[in-house]
Amino acid sequence: MAELVDALDLGSSDFCRVGSSPSARTICRNGLKIMTKIEEIKNKGLDIEWNMTIPADKINVILDKKYQELSQNIKIPGFRPGKVPVAIVKKRYSKSVMSEILDNLINDNLREVLLEKKIRPSVQPTVNVKSYEEGKDLSLNVVIQKMPDIKKIDLSELKIEKSLLQVSNTDIQNTLDDIAKKHERFSPLKNKRAAKNGDLILFDYEGKIDGKAFDKNTGKDETVVLGSNKYIPGYEEQMVGLNINEEKNITVTFPSDYRETNIAGKKANFHLKIKDIQERTKKVPIDDQLAKELGEENLDVLKEKVKEKIQKDFKTLSNLKMRREVAEILLKKNNFEIPSKMLEQEVNFLKSQSQEKKNEKEVSDIAKRRVKLGIIISSISDENKINVEDSDLTKAVVEEAQKYPGKEKEVVEFYKNNPQMMNNLRGIALEEKVMNFVVNSCKKIEKKCTMDQLFDSEFLKTEKSIIKKKEKN
């Protein structure tokens, strides 16, 4: 979203959802008690390092049980079902069984340890096997960088400005002026002349490839605005300079990626007949005719629709402004150590996503802000038990799909088949929910203003810049 375009995934690892342990911990797995010994090597700031030891006799009990299960179920030529000796099973499967058992033991023990100690890792802990031989203790080195402790935030004490719209006749008139300026209306030529870019052309055509007709090769009373690139490259350009009732043969080549694959990349000849040329109306008057051309009953109805649109846009921008303002307040009010590994991952992510090269400091500053805000959002979410429900995720997928008209089904299927992307969307949905909760919980200082005055806010600089760029173009 606006504050955190790609929400930081603070819980993608199984380890990140749990946290803690005593220096010696009894853990149950399959009904067996396994004593895990913890030796603390380092505990400074957010960085923790342990040596973990899982005793051999406990490992062996689980291994033996697994070998026994396999001997009852596997089929080996020369042995009756369920009668395969454990020694044979060990010889054949010890490597895969050992890997599975040790992975489960390490993961289960570490989860329980983190849970007991109430440690929430910021990123996946690094686990290295120091030593292990069958029949001996499993010795591990575990390096963790934990999430920082965040002080409870009293959201009701935060004050933000809530803009209330004053719709003036000037706002409505300015919008109508913009609509009229962008509206395309054409009228017959006052003085006969040749066609030029920007003209509306009425024409017939017939096309052939190698002297033969092809599917949809003819057209009657077709229209095109020259320079609109409605037709394939080279088509409209060859109509410039033609007069009404003039005919011309042109040659064009269909693009290699043309939708009709049977003619893609092929050269075609077209016979054109220009039937009419109309020029664009330079200044479209704001009247009932304009309203009707835009699908409205009359000018009064159009004005009302414009007013409604202004109100809707204002509300959207006002909410965005409040979110950005409260995000800035949260960032300033909360000072804590940012996990260096989270920051490193975010910097790498931003570099991989950026199309243009930015300097290191700029990337680092953006990453720091994103990570810090993500941690604050996560803390508020935990503190207030804000979770993403199925309905929230469905809404997020629908909103994402609506960005791609005509391809909505493909977008939905894409997210269904990509758990990682769905998880990213879940993060965005959580941020949306948390930020709405934060804004609703703050004290609002109401202030009336116009749309132009709203855009003067420092929190809407980006949007104002985009609009100015569009107007310039």
Side-chain angles (χ1 to χ4, degrees):
M1 305 306 295
E3 302 81 17
L4 192 61
V5 177
D6 294 287
L8 295 162
D9 182 7
L10 304 178
S12 60
S13 159
D14 286 336
F15 292 140
C16 294
R17 289 190 286 272
V18 295
S20 167
S21 116
S23 44
R25 170 74 181 151
T26 302
I27 298 170
C28 292
R29 177 174 173 77
N30 298 328
L32 300 171
K33 291 183 178 179
I34 303 172
M35 291 294 293
T36 303
K37 297 176 184 176
I38 303 293
E39 177 191 359
E40 190 170 270
I41 305 299
K42 181 182 179 182
N43 192 342
K44 186 178 180 181
L46 302 179
D47 297 315
I48 300 169
E49 184 178 354
W50 296 330
N51 281 336
M52 287 178 62
T53 304
I54 302 175
D57 58 339
K58 303 302 180 184
I59 299 172
N60 292 339
V61 169
I62 294 176
L63 281 172
D64 290 343
K65 185 178 180 183
K66 183 66 177 179
Y67 288 136
Q68 195 64 46
E69 287 175 0
L70 284 173
S71 72
Q72 298 297 315
N73 297 310
I74 61 172
K75 293 179 180 180
I76 295 179
F79 297 95
R80 286 181 296 165
K83 299 294 182 179
V84 180
V86 171
I88 299 294
V89 174
K90 279 187 179 182
K91 189 174 181 181
R92 287 202 175 196
Y93 298 100
S94 63
K95 195 171 182 180
S96 61
V97 168
M98 188 74 68
S99 176
E100 178 190 342
I101 294 299
L102 293 186
D103 279 349
N104 288 337
L105 273 170
I106 292 168
N107 289 335
D108 287 356
N109 276 261
L110 188 52
R111 284 190 187 96
E112 292 294 335
V113 167
L114 293 171
L115 184 62
E116 187 67 27
K117 285 186 175 292
K118 296 181 181 177
I119 295 173
R120 188 183 180 197
S122 59
V123 296
Q124 184 91 3
T126 302
V127 180
N128 290 309
V129 176
K130 289 176 67 179
S131 63
Y132 180 70
E133 292 179 27
E134 192 166 353
K136 294 186 178 180
D137 293 348
L138 171 61
S139 179
L140 309 166
N141 177 260
V142 182
V143 177
I144 303 161
Q145 192 167 74
K146 66 179 182 179
M147 292 285 282
D149 293 325
I150 310 293
K151 292 179 182 177
K152 185 177 178 181
I153 305 167
D154 187 350
L155 298 175
S156 64
E157 290 185 354
L158 305 184
K159 294 180 182 179
I160 56 174
E161 183 179 281
K162 181 178 181 179
S163 300
L164 301 177
L165 178 62
Q166 285 182 313
V167 183
S168 66
N169 290 331
T170 303
D171 291 328
I172 295 173
Q173 188 59 46
N174 287 341
T175 304
L176 288 170
D177 288 341
D178 286 339
I179 290 171
K181 199 181 293 182
K182 295 170 185 174
H183 185 68
E184 285 190 338
R185 181 186 292 172
F186 295 90
S187 56
L189 295 174
K190 292 178 181 177
N191 300 305
K192 299 300 180 184
R193 59 167 175 79
K196 62 181 182 179
N197 273 337
D199 286 344
L200 177 67
I201 309 298
L202 179 72
F203 69 105
D204 296 340
Y205 70 84
E206 181 181 8
K208 291 182 179 180
I209 295 176
D210 296 329
K212 296 177 182 179
F214 54 89
D215 189 33
K216 300 175 184 175
N217 72 313
T218 61
K220 294 283 185 183
D221 294 333
E222 297 289 326
T223 59
V224 63
V225 176
L226 296 186
S228 65
N229 298 319
K230 176 182 175 182
Y231 286 81
I232 61 176
Y235 199 105
E236 294 171 30
E237 291 88 335
Q238 296 183 68
M239 298 172 79
V240 173
L242 298 181
N243 291 286
I244 297 173
N245 294 324
E246 188 173 351
E247 298 183 31
K248 183 179 182 180
N249 292 314
I250 66 171
T251 301
V252 291
T253 301
F254 286 97
S256 57
D257 59 350
Y258 193 65
R259 60 182 179 273
E260 301 291 341
T261 55
N262 60 315
I263 59 174
K266 292 184 178 180
K267 189 177 285 187
N269 296 309
F270 283 88
H271 179 76
L272 308 178
K273 181 179 180 181
I274 307 302
K275 301 174 80 171
D276 191 27
I277 301 172
Q278 292 194 4
E279 59 188 351
R280 191 190 303 270
T281 303
K282 289 182 179 178
K283 189 173 182 180
V284 176
I286 299 169
D287 53 15
D288 286 343
Q289 184 184 344
L290 172 62
K292 287 174 181 176
E293 288 175 3
L294 292 169
E296 303 301 341
E297 188 179 344
N298 52 48
L299 183 57
D300 288 337
V301 174
L302 177 60
K303 284 182 178 180
E304 193 57 39
K305 290 289 178 71
V306 165
K307 184 177 180 180
E308 289 172 7
K309 181 70 165 57
I310 291 173
Q311 290 170 332
K312 184 181 176 182
D313 291 345
F314 185 93
K315 185 178 179 181
T316 300
L317 289 165
S318 177
N319 287 338
L320 180 57
K321 173 177 163 285
M322 286 193 290
R323 284 167 59 113
R324 288 180 178 170
E325 184 180 359
V326 80
E328 202 61 41
I329 293 170
L330 290 171
L331 286 166
K332 287 177 180 177
K333 273 185 169 287
N334 291 277
N335 293 310
F336 50 82
E337 184 181 354
I338 295 174
S340 61
K341 291 182 180 179
M342 283 185 81
L343 188 57
E344 184 183 342
Q345 288 183 0
E346 188 64 16
V347 166
N348 291 336
F349 171 77
L350 289 173
K351 285 180 178 178
S352 70
Q353 296 295 303
S354 179
Q355 298 292 328
E356 53 189 60
K357 199 169 183 180
K358 296 181 180 179
N359 64 60
E360 292 291 326
K361 186 180 183 308
E362 187 180 359
V363 175
S364 177
D365 287 346
I366 294 170
K368 207 172 287 183
R369 178 186 173 87
R370 285 162 62 99
V371 171
K372 185 176 180 181
L373 187 58
I375 292 171
I376 294 169
I377 286 174
S378 179
S379 174
I380 294 172
S381 168
D382 291 342
E383 183 69 36
N384 296 280
K385 296 181 174 56
I386 302 172
N387 298 305
V388 175
E389 309 294 340
D390 288 345
S391 57
D392 300 317
L393 200 54
T394 300
K395 181 185 173 188
V397 172
V398 169
E399 287 177 352
E400 192 65 23
Q402 287 172 344
K403 296 176 185 177
Y404 304 91
K407 296 185 177 180
E408 290 87 349
K409 286 184 178 179
E410 290 96 320
V411 174
V412 172
E413 285 302 313
F414 171 77
Y415 279 102
K416 278 184 180 179
N417 299 323
N418 288 273
Q420 183 58 50
M421 293 304 294
M422 185 67 89
N423 200 41
N424 290 344
L425 208 58
R426 184 182 292 275
I428 294 171
L430 177 63
E431 182 203 351
E432 177 80 8
K433 205 168 181 179
V434 171
M435 290 307 294
N436 285 339
F437 174 81
V438 171
V439 168
N440 290 334
S441 302
C442 293
K443 287 181 181 176
K444 318 288 191 311
I445 300 169
E446 296 184 346
K447 183 180 178 181
K448 292 183 178 181
C449 67
T450 63
M451 183 68 89
D452 287 340
Q453 289 169 336
L454 179 67
F455 270 117
D456 287 336
S457 167
E458 61 178 307
F459 300 109
L460 295 175
K461 283 181 180 177
T462 303
E463 285 68 27
K464 188 173 184 178
S465 173
I466 291 170
I467 288 173
K468 279 189 174 181
K469 192 175 180 181
K470 284 183 178 178
E471 287 175 347
K472 188 179 178 181
N473 291 336

